[in-house]
Amino acid sequence: SLSIAPISQFHVGAIAKGKSGRLYFGANMEFTGLPLNQSVHAEQSAICHAWLKGEPEIIDITINYSPCGHCRQFMNELHGAENLLIQLPNLPAKTLAEYLPDAFGPSDLLIDQPLLTPINHGLPESGIDELTNAAIDALNKSHAPYSKNLCGLALRTPDGQIFTGRYAENAAFNPSISPFQVALISMTMAGVEVTDINEVSLVELHYNVISLKEECERLLHQLNPQATLTYHQL
């Protein structure tokens, strides 16, 4: 019911079950006028929802359609991926390994802190303003073991609510998800329209080999060209 699918009209929902026993909802998101790689898959949505809530491991994910290859690879980045069960309608549960045999993942690149591993990179608050400090807090929890470009974002709605997003890279690179997309997941799961953005603060590292600034600007312009964006490098 929270799916946003103006392009495909194909609505997908997912529920991730954490090791804590808590359930985290997710839904697919598409954005008119933007490339399809800006879309968020339902599995990504549920997983990032759990990540933002501090869940250290997902043990089970239920989806109303079979996960695409993109999502299978995204799930393979997770802490505990080898034990993850996938539930589909009218089918017995199967492990991710059964859906993604001979998988390539973080361990192949010698990464020992997969996605969902609790982490704090320890960069101090800037003192610039509340929104930027929220973005730095998100940056400190981001997952960027391949590019090393820690990146976080915070956005504020007209009524003063703040939503944050963290960058999450993937061993296969393409299934990586931007901090802006993660913040939009948080908004959607809270029942807030993704166009209801007043201002955005994006923070990343000054020695980065990549940058998410242009991608963020493009997405913000499509959602609400009247919103302001501030950009900081640490």
Side-chain angles (χ1 to χ4, degrees), residues 17-84:
K17 182 179 181 180
K19 194 172 184 178
S20 66
R22 297 182 68 187
L23 302 178
Y24 305 92
F25 286 19
N28 64 319
M29 303 168 68
E30 302 165 356
F31 308 103
T32 303
L34 289 175
L36 293 178
N37 65 2
Q38 292 291 314
S39 303
V40 175
H41 297 230
E43 296 91 326
Q44 289 180 306
S45 177
I47 290 166
C48 288
H49 187 190
W51 187 34
L52 290 171
K53 296 293 187 181
E55 184 66 54
E57 186 174 338
I58 292 170
I59 61 173
D60 183 293
I61 188 162
T62 300
I63 319 152
N64 62 321
Y65 291 102
S66 181
C68 69
H70 180 97
C71 290
R72 297 179 197 198
Q73 182 63 45
F74 187 82
M75 290 186 281
N76 196 50
E77 189 75 16
L78 297 177
H79 174 61
E82 64 277 7
N83 299 316
L84 179 63

Side-chain angles (χ1 to χ4, degrees), residues 175-215:
S176 302
I177 190 167
S178 75
F180 202 166
Q181 290 169 309
V182 175
L184 295 176
I185 290 167
S186 184
M187 290 182 72
T188 302
M189 293 305 105
V192 179
E193 296 289 334
V194 295
T195 54
D196 199 13
I197 302 171
N198 195 43
E199 54 184 320
V200 174
S201 179
L202 175 68
V203 180
E204 57 185 1
L205 301 182
H206 70 278
Y207 53 81
N208 52 319
V209 294
I210 64 168
S211 176
L212 301 177
K213 181 174 181 283
E214 184 176 327
E215 181 179 335

